[in-house]
Amino acid sequence: MVDFEILTPELNQKFHKDGYLVIPGFLREDEITALLTRSKELLDEFSLDGHPLTCFTTDESGDKKHIRFFLEDEAFGEDGKLNRPKELAVNKMGHALHELDPIFRSVTLENPRLQQLVLELGFHRSPLVLQSMVIFKQPSIGGQVPEHNDSTFLYTDPPSALGFWFALEECTPQNGALSFLPGSHLRNPITKRFVRLPEGGTGFESLSAPDPLATSSPSDYKQEPCEAGTLVLIHGSVLHKSEKNTSPHTRYAYTFHMIESGATYDAKNWLQPTPEMPFSPLFSLPPLVARRGGPSD
């Protein structure tokens, strides 16, 4: 661990009040450079031969044995072929970079500052790391991400998802900086979850009826432009979104999530651990309570 405080009591309180927290300068310059360089190397190494040339879906992305690449909607012409170089067509790559690549692993699982932050935040007792990816937000075509919360897609009982979102480049209103609905985690319950369907594929399962009074407007959202190296903590229940990248610049970000090992994570969830690659404990101590596992994929 580190020998200094990362979160003041005031910052901790702000996270629990707003449902997110922006921490500038969390990544060092050498870490930013290493993550950017490795991301670009992986893009260069990615071959289109044999790739289905499809956009992001969760039907195949639960495979954690390999780094997978997913393409932007607008990267295709009317003929179904890519209309730009592959390095400007990929929407994201994931979903187990923290396990499959040593550079991402060092920032995620072998990072004393991150471990210290998690201890100070007190959100988890025995956290597990899952779903790590780089989101590229390509120039002019980087798609809009509509209003959502992360616990819908990484559902546990009780809800325990927490997002870690690292800006690897400057994030601006033009290239798709994140926007949040402050406090929405306190008044918007999780009403649905994203699951593997019995008949195959994925879809939403209702948990409760949405509250008709729990509405929001764009003016309620707060956009959070930030510099490279910034860490944004994202409560699993807080509503957030990002707009389309209309700029000529990329907006690289590295993100992963944690859940509580003592919470139930069952076989319905679209992303599943495997015997070869279980979800990764952040700390070396064993989880406090065993999880229910799911089928291998």
Side-chain angles (χ1 to χ4, degrees):
M1 300 300 166
V2 296
D3 58 359
F4 59 87
E5 184 180 62
I6 297 175
L7 285 183
T8 64
E10 292 76 19
L11 288 176
N12 202 318
Q13 183 180 27
K14 181 174 176 58
F15 167 77
H16 289 284
K17 174 177 176 288
D18 293 341
Y20 73 97
L21 182 66
V22 179
I23 307 176
F26 188 85
L27 290 181
R28 302 188 307 264
E29 286 294 332
D30 63 302
E31 292 172 322
I32 298 170
T33 299
L35 291 171
L36 278 174
T37 299
R38 186 59 181 144
S39 297
K40 293 173 182 178
E41 288 174 350
L42 289 169
L43 276 181
D44 288 340
E45 295 167 5
F46 161 52
S47 174
L48 291 173
D49 294 338
H51 191 276
L53 294 184
T54 55
C55 305
F56 173 72
T57 70
T58 51
D59 292 352
E60 298 181 357
S61 60
D63 179 1
K64 302 193 308 101
K65 303 179 185 71
H66 308 283
I67 296 174
R68 291 186 173 271
F69 297 81
F70 306 92
L71 305 176
E72 290 280 2
D73 287 332
E74 294 185 31
F76 298 91
E78 294 182 0
D79 59 0
K81 298 180 180 179
L82 287 183
N83 56 21
R84 64 199 64 226
K86 66 174 184 178
E87 62 270 17
L88 294 176
V90 176
N91 166 278
K92 66 182 69 173
M93 65 178 181
H95 279 97
L97 292 169
H98 65 286
E99 282 287 3
L100 297 174
D101 188 272
I103 300 299
F104 289 95
R105 183 181 181 89
S106 68
V107 172
T108 311
L109 298 176
E110 301 169 355
N111 187 339
R113 284 174 294 126
L114 182 71
Q115 294 177 341
Q116 177 77 15
L117 173 65
V118 171
L119 286 174
E120 291 178 1
L121 188 66
F123 193 84
H124 293 121
R125 297 177 64 195
S126 180
L128 300 171
V129 179
L130 66 162
Q131 198 198 23
S132 58
M133 54 190 168
V134 170
I135 304 172
F136 297 102
K137 206 78 162 178
Q138 299 288 1
S140 302
I141 65 167
Q144 177 191 44
V145 179
E147 176 183 83
H148 69 285
N149 56 50
D150 293 338
S151 284
T152 293
F153 298 92
L154 297 171
Y155 182 77
T156 65
D157 184 17
S160 65
L162 177 66
F164 292 73
W165 191 96
F166 298 86
L168 302 183
E169 297 180 306
E170 182 183 13
C171 301
T172 69
Q174 293 73 37
N175 72 6
L178 295 178
S179 295
F180 295 88
L181 188 60
S184 55
H185 64 303
L186 299 175
R187 56 183 183 269
N188 289 77
I190 307 303
T191 60
K192 59 184 179 181
R193 57 180 293 201
F194 197 70
V195 300
R196 295 186 177 192
L197 300 173
E199 63 271 24
T202 52
F204 290 98
E205 176 183 89
S206 177
L207 297 172
S208 63
D211 183 353
L213 300 179
T215 58
S216 62
S217 68
S219 62
D220 296 327
Y221 270 80
K222 182 178 180 182
Q223 193 171 60
E224 295 286 357
C226 61
E227 297 294 326
T230 298
L231 166 60
V232 185
L233 295 175
I234 305 174
H235 190 291
S237 298
V238 77
L239 292 171
H240 58 288
K241 62 181 181 177
S242 66
E243 304 303 325
K244 179 178 179 178
N245 183 356
T246 59
S247 81
H249 307 290
T250 54
R251 193 224 64 185
Y252 280 35
Y254 172 54
T255 182
F256 61 86
H257 291 81
M258 291 183 191
I259 59 170
E260 176 56 53
S261 65
T264 299
Y265 189 95
D266 64 41
K268 286 185 178 181
N269 288 334
W270 70 274
L271 181 69
Q272 289 293 326
T274 66
E276 300 80 15
M277 192 179 292
F279 293 150
S280 313
L282 180 66
F283 303 111
S284 58
L285 295 176
L288 298 178
V289 180
R291 293 179 292 116
R292 280 169 50 194
S296 300
D297 57 6

